[in-house]
Amino acid sequence: MRRPTAPPVEGGPDLSAIYGERAEFVWLTLQRLGVRHADLEDLAHDVFVIAHRKLRSFDGTSRVTTWLFGICLRVAANYRRRAHVRLERPMGGAETYERFPDLVQPEEVLGLREARTRLSAVLDRIDLTKRAVFVMFEVEGLSCAEIAAQLGIPVGTVYSRLHAARKAFADAFAIEQRGRRTER
Amino acid sequence: MKDGELERWLSNPDAAPPGAVDLLRVAQRPSPPSPEVRARLGRELQQLASTPAFPAPRWPFISGIAVVAVGAAGWLALPRWHTAPPAVAVAPVAARHVAVPIVLGPPPQPLTVAEPMASAPAERPAPSAPPVRSHGPRRAWSRLAAPRSDARAAKPALLKTAPSGPATGADSLAREEALIEAARRTVHARPAAALETLEIHRSEFPAGQLGAEREFLAVSALVQLGRHAEAEARGRRLAAQYPGTTYAQRVQRLLSSGP
């Protein structure tokens, strides 16, 4: 079925331009929000489908990345609700994506995988907005100014989200550790 | 490494909960898409970019679709569903009765108030002096940040708006989009409600522009509900009806991932 071609929105960004400039941002953001590699392509597609639909309501007063981050949040929140996502960790196919430090010996891989699974479980308990800032700062090593620039929010907001995220992480980590002790 | 007054936990493990740094140390950093994936996704979106640009969404209406769908489930069960044309019997009650723009773009239209949805026939003429109140523009971002509270606030307006004229092409597309978006929002949390919304879309737009997306979401909902045989049958129909589309590929991946 061939659809009619729409005229571009006057003066506004079009989907191709947004994708060309922001595909990587969306891809990275979805990972920060806990989307597994096997699902990234589908969810990135969803993000841009929604972006396409909302282009006319994007008024340009916020940054495109801020706008896209909001869409990523919604898509990732829906993703989190999928029961099978929670039950199937780690996902099949992840091994093709997993990267380990060069010096890791084969016998250490299992331990690394277990640690990463535990980290995912802890991060999954954190509110998505805080989780993104936490991962950007603590895992990726971005500065607060860089995070603020990417998300289009004041640096002060980054600081406050990071403080809240650290507290949430500590709480979630304590729960995870209690669970492990119970299992033993 | 310090950032202003903040020091990373990896640089100052004493500030972190004991043991937490061991996990952070092995964390895998997010990585960009491979050139192949990026190109593939770009090609898929190229198709999408050639589709009609969507009108500014009417969010109270969109958010309320799921509510309408649940109510419509009982309506669907009534005998008149089998005798009356679907376009009159179900969703248009909401489709053509709601015009509550609260988004940026064109100047906001006045909200009109009429009888509750359940008692308002589709043919009912609009009141002669409908304007009652209007909403000021609201930033799209604020909706994205807090869709739930908006949805709650929108319900009364959804149910109290008056009928307007027949839907134009743009209105029709907006309604398609509203139904699909409502289903997308609920497909994981409330797949049964999403299926009902998608059924409304199918009855109103049997040859709609968003048919492939509707069918994909329906398959997702069926999988969520554990109705795998139905999901597979519907997935096969999707692949046959919309060959080569992104949704045909996605449904194949979805079904091959198993129950």
Side-chain angles (χ1 to χ4, degrees), chain A residues 57-59 61, chain B residues 57 59-60 100-106 108 135-144 146-147 149-151 153-154:
Chain A
S57 65
F58 176 62
D59 59 7
T61 56
Chain B
W59 277 97
V100 195
I102 58 167
V103 298
L104 290 178
H135 295 273
R138 184 180 302 182
R139 289 179 55 178
W141 162 245
S142 65
R143 285 195 319 275
L144 294 172
S149 58
D150 278 354

Side-chain angles (χ1 to χ4, degrees), chain B residues 6 12 17 35 52-53 59 65 74 88 101 105 120 122 149 166 169 178 188 194 200 206 214 240 247:
Chain B
L6 273 179
N12 182 17
W59 277 97
I65 290 295
V88 176
S149 58
H188 300 304
I200 292 172
R214 174 194 68 216
Y247 291 110

Side-chain angles (χ1 to χ4, degrees), chain A residues 78-128:
Chain A
N78 277 336
Y79 174 79
R80 256 191 183 186
R81 293 189 194 110
R82 284 158 56 174
H84 73 270
V85 168
R86 293 194 294 272
L87 296 172
E88 285 181 5
R89 209 176 276 278
M91 179 84 167
E95 64 278 2
T96 60
Y97 160 71
E98 274 186 308
R99 287 174 277 109
F100 299 106
D102 292 340
L103 298 178
V104 168
Q105 300 299 311
E107 59 270 21
E108 294 176 309
V109 167
L110 270 181
L112 274 175
R113 279 201 178 131
E114 188 200 345
R116 285 178 176 175
T117 303
R118 288 177 56 207
L119 179 62
S120 292
V122 173
L123 291 173
D124 282 349
R125 290 178 180 273
I126 301 178
D127 166 83
L128 285 172

Side-chain angles (χ1 to χ4, degrees), chain A residues 3 19-20 31 41-42 45-46 52-54 59 74 81-82 116 137-138 142-144 166, chain B residues 3 7-9 26 28-29 31 38 40 51 59 104 140 148 181 188 209 213 250 253:
Chain A
R3 296 173 178 174
Y19 178 76
Q31 290 172 78
E41 195 170 339
D42 285 351
H45 182 262
D46 283 348
H52 177 54
R53 292 196 179 137
K54 301 194 183 317
D59 59 7
R74 284 178 45 202
R81 293 189 194 110
R82 284 158 56 174
R116 285 178 176 175
F137 186 80
E138 298 288 5
L142 298 179
S143 70
C144 287
R166 282 177 159 181
Chain B
D3 182 82
E7 197 166 8
R8 293 177 215 289
W9 279 355
V26 300
Q28 186 161 321
R29 290 183 177 199
S31 56
R38 190 181 170 117
R40 184 166 61 237
T51 63
W59 277 97
L104 290 178
R148 287 172 184 241
E181 189 61 24
H188 300 304
Q209 298 190 52
E213 191 168 354
R250 287 181 65 175
R253 285 200 293 271

Side-chain angles (χ1 to χ4, degrees), chain B residues 111-115 127 130 132-133 160-162:
Chain B
L111 173 70
T112 58
V113 174
E115 297 298 319
V132 174
R133 61 190 171 96
K160 290 183 181 175
T161 48

